Amino acid sequence: MIRQDNLSATTHELVKTGGRTLTRRYTEVAEHYGFQASRIQPGESHENGVVEKAHHLLKSALAQALLLRGSRDFPTVEAYMAFVRRVVEEKFHHGREALVAEERAALKPLPSCRLPEYTRALVTVRKWSTIPVAGRIYSVPSRLIGHEVEARLFADVVEVRYAGKVVETMPRLRGECAHRIDYRHVIWSLVRKPGAFAAYRYREDLFPSLMFRQAYDALRERRGDRADVEYVRVLHLAASTGERAVEQALSALFERGEGFDYAAVKALAQPETPAVPELRIGAPDLGQYDALLAAGEAS
């Protein structure tokens, strides 16, 4: 028996009866693991007091451990999870090994197959190279416009597949952040219609760093409406040659205090062509092979 409150992840409102029932996904989880689901009444959180108290104690223990540690920064997710496991072992399992072993002995074996770790959705790429996934907007490569792709929504990432192959992996959006636009995905369409930049809905996402934002503001001040065309070309240059090189070129132009345009940025940002060494290999002396064979026969 698994008891939970009425979170939208597990239950949803019934329009006709005004009650709540389990969502399809949560029902499938219950059937897969073979447990029964029980819910508290709406607005009666005290009915789940034991679980709520345990949750509070765990959060308090982690908060205290982080204070003693002196920092909330971890190099990787795995390092943070190791920290959490250590806190749980020290605060909740230490001295209760016999009870934990008794509980584990009562657990049933897991099913032979695992549930997918993602939610799957089939979506068509819109004309602005975006797809809607779970109420959020993500950009994908512009070559996929008009095609149907498979979006796999994991706990932390969104994986986009086309023709059975992964074409893009991006962090999953959380909280109030409703869209994630990578300028490299949309710039190839935008450069053909640079006038659309001014009214582009996700325009703020097309400033990959503060330097690019300052460059656009400087272009607006010097070139007026022409700035949109110039900036889109600069952004296209960053996508096609390298963002770092373009950013360094913009920084150098700012330090000089000179007015600039796309041509000036391109002149500074063109990546150096790597020198390819010229190799000279002479014709092999076949006589050496004959001598080697003769030596082998003699031995």
Side-chain angles (χ1 to χ4, degrees):
M1 177 73 73
I2 302 293
R3 189 171 179 83
Q4 76 279 328
D5 55 17
N6 289 278
L7 289 173
S8 59
T10 59
T11 67
H12 67 95
E13 196 76 27
L14 296 174
V15 178
K16 293 184 179 180
T17 64
R20 294 187 73 85
T21 189
L22 297 178
T23 62
R24 179 184 58 81
R25 290 178 57 202
Y26 192 73
T27 300
E28 292 175 352
V29 171
E31 292 175 350
H32 179 80
Y33 288 106
F35 66 80
Q36 293 182 344
S38 173
R39 308 185 305 280
I40 66 173
Q41 300 180 64
E44 302 293 339
S45 58
H46 62 276
E47 294 181 1
N48 212 20
V50 174
V51 175
E52 295 291 347
K53 183 62 177 179
H55 187 205
H56 172 72
L57 291 175
L58 175 60
K59 290 175 64 177
S60 297
L62 290 174
Q64 291 296 320
L66 287 170
L67 286 175
L68 292 175
R69 184 175 179 270
S71 172
R72 292 177 176 267
D73 296 330
F74 292 85
T76 62
V77 174
E78 289 74 18
Y80 174 71
M81 294 306 299
F83 168 80
V84 172
R85 285 192 291 268
R86 186 175 71 253
V87 172
V88 171
E89 289 292 333
E90 293 175 356
K91 299 295 183 181
F92 300 99
H93 292 175
H94 182 67
R96 303 180 180 88
E97 289 80 6
L99 294 175
V100 173
E102 183 180 350
E103 290 289 339
R104 285 175 176 168
L107 295 174
K108 295 180 180 181
L110 290 172
S112 57
C113 60
R114 297 180 61 179
L115 280 174
E117 297 179 350
Y118 57 85
T119 302
R120 180 173 176 268
L122 294 177
V123 292
T124 300
V125 180
R126 297 169 174 174
K127 65 179 182 179
W128 276 110
S129 194
T130 58
I131 57 173
V133 181
R136 302 290 193 271
I137 300 297
Y138 299 87
S139 67
V140 296
S142 58
R143 67 179 183 274
L144 298 175
I145 292 175
H147 294 280
E148 185 179 70
V149 297
E150 176 190 357
R152 295 185 176 182
L153 189 66
F154 291 83
D156 300 316
V157 300
V158 176
E159 187 179 87
V160 181
R161 290 172 169 257
Y162 178 69
K165 297 181 180 179
V166 177
V167 295
E168 195 70 28
T169 301
M170 59 203 80
R172 179 178 176 176
L173 296 175
R174 299 284 188 181
E176 297 180 357
C177 188
H179 52 83
R180 179 188 182 276
I181 307 298
D182 188 333
Y183 74 91
R184 299 174 184 85
H185 294 156
V186 302
I187 192 60
W188 312 101
S189 299
L190 193 60
V191 76
R192 293 195 293 268
K193 298 180 180 178
F197 178 78
Y200 184 52
R201 181 178 180 182
Y202 307 116
R203 193 179 70 163
E204 292 304 315
D205 287 9
L206 302 187
F207 300 110
S209 70
L210 178 60
M211 179 53 64
F212 281 84
R213 175 77 234 197
Q214 291 174 333
Y216 176 70
D217 292 341
L219 287 169
R220 288 289 300 179
E221 185 175 335
R222 182 169 179 267
R223 305 296 297 274
D225 292 339
R226 177 69 186 177
D228 293 343
V229 176
E230 295 291 331
Y231 180 74
V232 167
R233 290 179 177 176
V234 169
L235 206 57
H236 180 261
L237 182 67
S240 55
T241 61
E243 180 182 313
R244 182 59 180 166
V246 173
E247 189 171 33
Q248 290 177 339
L250 290 172
S251 179
L253 290 169
F254 263 82
E255 289 180 1
R256 297 176 188 175
E258 302 174 358
F260 63 91
D261 55 11
Y262 162 73
V265 177
K266 182 179 180 181
L268 286 178
Q270 286 292 354
E272 296 181 1
T273 303
V276 179
E278 183 178 351
L279 301 179
R280 295 184 178 276
I281 301 176
D285 183 1
L286 299 180
Q288 295 180 0
Y289 291 95
D290 295 335
L292 182 62
L293 292 173
E297 293 176 355
S299 60

